[in-house]
Structure formats: C-alpha cells, structure tokens
C-alpha cells in the first residue's frame, strides 16, 4: 500500500468512526435531557441519576471524536510516536469527572434515604422513560459494536460497552421505579445509589487503564505470546530477547531484538528484520509500530564485545603485526565481533602468491604473527 492510499484509507476510517459516534452522541444527549426532565417531573431520583449517566456518555462520545481526529494524524517532529497520549490524558480527566459526579449522586441519594418519610413516589411516566432508555441504549450498543468490528477499532468497542452499561443502569432504574410505585419508595433512592456505583466503576476503570498506559505497561500475556509466535515463524530468526511492548491510545508499539546467523551479510540480516516488522504489522491489528534490532548473539545480560577496539584500531594493530609480510595490497577486511573476540577475514589478491603451497605458508605466517589477544581466528581469501 503506497502513501496516498494509506492516507485515503485513514481518512475514510476516521469519517466512519465520526459518523457512528455522532449518531450515538445525539441519542445520548436527547436521552439525558428526557431522563433529567421527566425524572424531575415524576419525582424519580434514580431517573435523574440515570440521565446524568447518559450525559457522561455524551462526554465520552465527544472524547472519542477528539481522540479519533488526533489518532489519525501522522507523527511529526515534535511527536515522533504520534499524538495518542493526548487521548490517554483526556481519558484520565474524564474518569475523574465521572467519579466525582458519582460521589455527588450517591451522597444526595443517601441523604434522601435518611428522610424516608419524605421520599416521593415516581409515576408511570418515569417508568416509561426508563423503558425507552433501555431500548435506545441497547440499539446504540449493537450499532456501535457492529461498526467497531468492521473497522477493527478498540476505541469504538469500548464506547459501545459504555452504552451497554447505561442500558444496564436503566434496567436498575426501571426496577427501582417499579418498586417505589408498589409501595417501596426507598427503592428508587437505592437504585440511584446503584447507578452512582456503576458510574464510579466506569470512571475508575478509565483512570486505571489510562494510568497503566501512561507508565508504559506491557501488553497482556496472550498478546505477547502471539507476537512471539509470529516472530519465530519468520525464517532466519534463531532466537529473540528484550521484547518490549507498550500501548498508546489503543495502538501497540513493539521493540524487539532478534538473533540471526552471525555470519550473514548486513543486508540479509536487515531483510530478516524487515520481514519480522511487516509480519507483526500485518498479522496483529493492535500493533502500529515495530522496531527490530538485529543481533549476532544474545546480548540481553550484557555485550561481551563492548570493550573491543573499533575497525580502524584493529586494522592499525594488524599492520603492526605484519610489517614485513606482503599484505599491503589487502583488498578487504571483514570483522566479526562474537563472544568477546574478533574473527578476522582478509581478502588478498591472488597475484601476491605463485602457487598453493606459497599461499598456505603466507596464511600460516599471518596467523603466527598476529599476537592480538582478541583475535580468535584469521581466515584468508585469495581473489583474482
């Protein structure tokens, strides 16, 4: 997929998310207004509390719209990992607001319970509004879930379940109103407290999940195991270590070290790493970015080659070891840093030797003259 088609696909996906969310937000707002007004007219504290719950869904809907807009922005110089953490911070703030609202609703309802003799009895109108809310919220839930599955959007799926929680709270309200109408007026206030607990639970879950994301908590064990399996399915991967994962606004970012044959060319090792990256991006929807580090050996607990000299220092040391040998025409030097030592491969022109015996003697002299403690082996290739 080229850059233009990627941008078009991203914009189309954003428009669909926006459409689904706007429809839900309009219904949530109308339900909130109807519940609060008719809850007040019908003397139902539980219905008023449920109306506040519906307004919380409106806040969530606008949060989803805001987050979707920024989530589809490309990374820039100031935000190389994208803008997903803006959504995370907004979620924390929303969760705190919901918890605060829930505490206020619960306090007022408990205060009403302490004056049980003055508790009003809600009427049939309140019961009808509660039933209307159940039907409407269940429809929103099913509509949003279908879109979330089609668009593979965890954010929409979470918003759908927020709507389902509102439908459940409306059922509690309906039962409380019905109980109050049949001679148990305190049940309406009890239902209001139950709804407040549900609101607080939603707020707590939002704060908890977003806080874990802010401190870069790893993905679930099942997701990590799936990532491991896909990595090992790539041919050329011998082992892996230092697999790190984190989430940003529902997307997963992966960093991993893979071990390949230490004598592969740089380009082939890169190709294996690029294959791992493409496989994870294609196979796991939640993964949005993958960084693959290629290792010739396991360096998880430390690199044994950290203190070895660099290329220029090694070549200079070799020249000092071979001042009188005919190697001034060296065409190439390949160094393999492995297990705390350096394996040296030399390319020499075939013209500096006359026969096979002379070539063997030269190789023997090179090896004997090399007194470098870190040189594990010297291999020589004579090239035409």
């Amino acid at each position: 997929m080229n850059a233009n088609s990627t941008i078009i696909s991203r914009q189309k996906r954003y428009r669909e998310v926006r459409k689904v969310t706007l429809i839900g937000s309009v219904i949530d707002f109308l339900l909130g207004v109807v519940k609060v007004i008719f809850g007040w007219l019908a003397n139902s504290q539980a219905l008023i509390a449920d109306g506040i719950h519906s307004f919380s869904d409106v806040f969530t809907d606008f949060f989803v719209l805001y987050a979707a807009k920024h989530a589809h922005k490309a990374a820039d110089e100031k935000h190389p990992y994208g803008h997903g953490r803006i959504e995370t911070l907004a979620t924390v703030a929303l969760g705190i607001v919901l918890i605060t609202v829930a505490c206020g609703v619960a306090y007022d309802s408990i205060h009403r319970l302490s004056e049980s003799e003055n508790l009003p009895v809600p009427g049939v109108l309140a019961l009808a509004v509660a039933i209307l809310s159940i039907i409407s919220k269940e429809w929103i839930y099913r509509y949003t879930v279908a879109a979330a599955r089609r668009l593979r959007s965890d954010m929409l799926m979470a918003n759908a379940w927020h709507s389902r929680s509102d439908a459940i709270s409306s059922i509690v309200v309906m039962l409380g109103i019905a109980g109050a109408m049949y001679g148990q007026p305190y049940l309406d206030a009890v239902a209001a407290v139950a709804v407040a607990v549900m609101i607080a639970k939603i707020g707590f879950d939002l704060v908890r999940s977003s806080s874990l994301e802010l401190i870069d908590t790893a993905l679930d064990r099942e997701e990590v195991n799936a990532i491991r399996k896909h990595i090992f399915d790539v041919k050329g991967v011998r082992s892996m270590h230092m697999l790190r994962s984190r989430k940003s606004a529902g997307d997963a970012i992966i960093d991993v070290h893979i071990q390949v044959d230490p004598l592969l060319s740089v380009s082939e090792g890169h190709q294996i790493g690029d294959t791992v990256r493409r496989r994870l991006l294609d196979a796991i929807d939640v993964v949005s970015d993958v960084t693959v580090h290629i290792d010739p050996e396991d360096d998880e607990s430390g690199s044994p080659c950290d203190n070895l000299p660099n290329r220029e220092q090694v070549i200079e040391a070799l020249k000092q070891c071979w001042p009188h040998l005919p190697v001034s025409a060296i065409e190439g030097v390949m160094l393999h840093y492995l297990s705390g030592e350096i394996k040296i491969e030399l390319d020499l022109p075939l013209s500096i030797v006359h026969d096979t015996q002379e070539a063997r003697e030269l190789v023997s002299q090179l090896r004997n003259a090399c007194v470098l403690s870190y040189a594990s082996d010297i291999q020589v290739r004579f090239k035409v």
Side-chain angles (χ1 to χ4, degrees), residues 89-105:
L89 289 172
T91 306
V92 172
L94 176 60
I96 293 174
V97 170
L98 289 178
I99 293 172
T100 303
V101 169
C103 290
V105 171

Side-chain angles (χ1 to χ4, degrees), residues 13-29 54 56-69 72 137 139-140 143-145 147-148 150-151 153-160 162-163:
R13 188 174 187 274
Y14 168 62
R15 286 195 295 268
E16 290 193 52
V17 171
R18 183 177 60 185
K19 173 187 173 183
V20 172
T21 307
L22 282 174
I23 291 174
S25 64
V26 170
I27 297 176
D28 285 333
F29 178 76
S54 293
S56 77
D57 282 353
V58 176
F59 280 113
T60 303
D61 292 335
F62 278 107
F63 153 73
V64 170
L65 289 172
Y66 175 84
K69 178 180 179 180
H72 290 81
K137 295 302 295 186
W139 181 86
I140 294 175
Y143 175 64
T144 309
V145 162
R150 185 177 68 255
L151 300 173
S153 172
D154 290 339
M155 182 170 61
L156 274 183
M157 186 65 73
N159 204 37
H162 195 182
S163 297

Side-chain angles (χ1 to χ4, degrees), residues 31 108 117 130 218 364:
L31 279 176
D108 186 65
E117 66 279 0
S364 178

Side-chain angles (χ1 to χ4, degrees), residues 42-304:
N43 297 317
S44 175
Q45 183 69 11
L47 192 59
I48 293 174
D50 202 33
I52 296 174
H53 193 179
S54 293
F55 282 129
S56 77
D57 282 353
V58 176
F59 280 113
T60 303
D61 292 335
F62 278 107
F63 153 73
V64 170
L65 289 172
Y66 175 84
K69 178 180 179 180
H70 288 275
H72 290 81
K73 284 185 177 180
D76 53 36
E77 184 177 352
K78 290 186 177 181
H79 306 90
Y81 290 100
H83 302 77
R85 291 295 169 88
I86 296 175
E87 173 184 335
T88 309
L89 289 172
T91 306
V92 172
L94 176 60
I96 293 174
V97 170
L98 289 178
I99 293 172
T100 303
V101 169
C103 290
V105 171
Y107 175 82
D108 186 65
S109 300
I110 293 172
H111 179 71
R112 282 172 172 263
L113 281 173
S114 65
E115 301 176 354
S116 56
E117 66 279 0
N118 298 322
L119 285 175
V121 177
V124 177
L125 191 59
L127 185 63
V129 171
I131 295 174
L132 174 64
S133 174
I134 295 171
I135 296 172
S136 301
K137 295 302 295 186
E138 183 63 19
W139 181 86
I140 294 175
Y141 164 76
R142 294 180 182 275
Y143 175 64
T144 309
V145 162
R149 289 171 178 166
R150 185 177 68 255
L151 300 173
R152 297 195 301 272
S153 172
D154 290 339
M155 182 170 61
L156 274 183
M157 186 65 73
N159 204 37
W161 277 104
H162 195 182
S163 297
R164 170 61 69 86
S165 73
D166 202 7
I168 295 173
S169 70
S170 294
I171 293 175
V172 175
V173 169
M174 180 187 70
L175 296 176
I177 293 173
M181 292 174 62
Y182 284 92
Q184 305 295 331
Y186 66 90
L187 288 179
D188 182 70
V190 170
V193 174
V195 173
V197 172
M198 292 180 184
I199 298 174
K201 173 72 165 52
I202 293 170
F204 176 79
D205 288 343
L206 289 173
V207 171
R208 180 179 179 277
S209 61
S210 298
S211 298
L212 290 175
E213 184 176 308
L214 286 174
I215 60 175
D216 288 336
T217 302
L219 300 180
D220 295 337
R221 184 180 299 275
E222 293 76 14
E223 293 174 303
V224 173
N225 288 339
I227 290 170
R228 289 179 179 273
K229 182 180 183 304
H230 284 295
I231 291 175
F232 279 115
D233 284 343
V234 175
K235 291 184 178 180
V237 176
R238 287 188 169 185
S239 182
M240 60 161 289
H241 54 277
M242 294 180 69
L243 173 60
R244 294 180 294 182
S245 62
R246 54 196 173 99
K247 296 195 75 174
S248 178
D251 291 332
I253 300 173
I254 308 298
D255 299 316
V256 63
H257 288 218
I258 63 171
Q259 187 176 336
V260 300
D261 185 338
L263 301 184
L264 290 180
S265 66
V266 173
S267 59
E268 186 175 357
H270 171 77
Q271 179 65 17
I272 294 173
D274 208 36
T275 302
V276 169
R277 178 180 178 275
R278 291 196 305 269
R279 187 181 187 93
L280 292 180
L281 290 174
D282 294 341
I284 304 179
D285 292 336
V286 72
V287 174
S288 64
D289 187 30
V290 181
T291 300
V292 181
H293 181 86
I294 307 298
D295 282 327
E297 59 186 355
D298 189 350
D299 62 353
E300 184 173 11
S301 58
S303 176

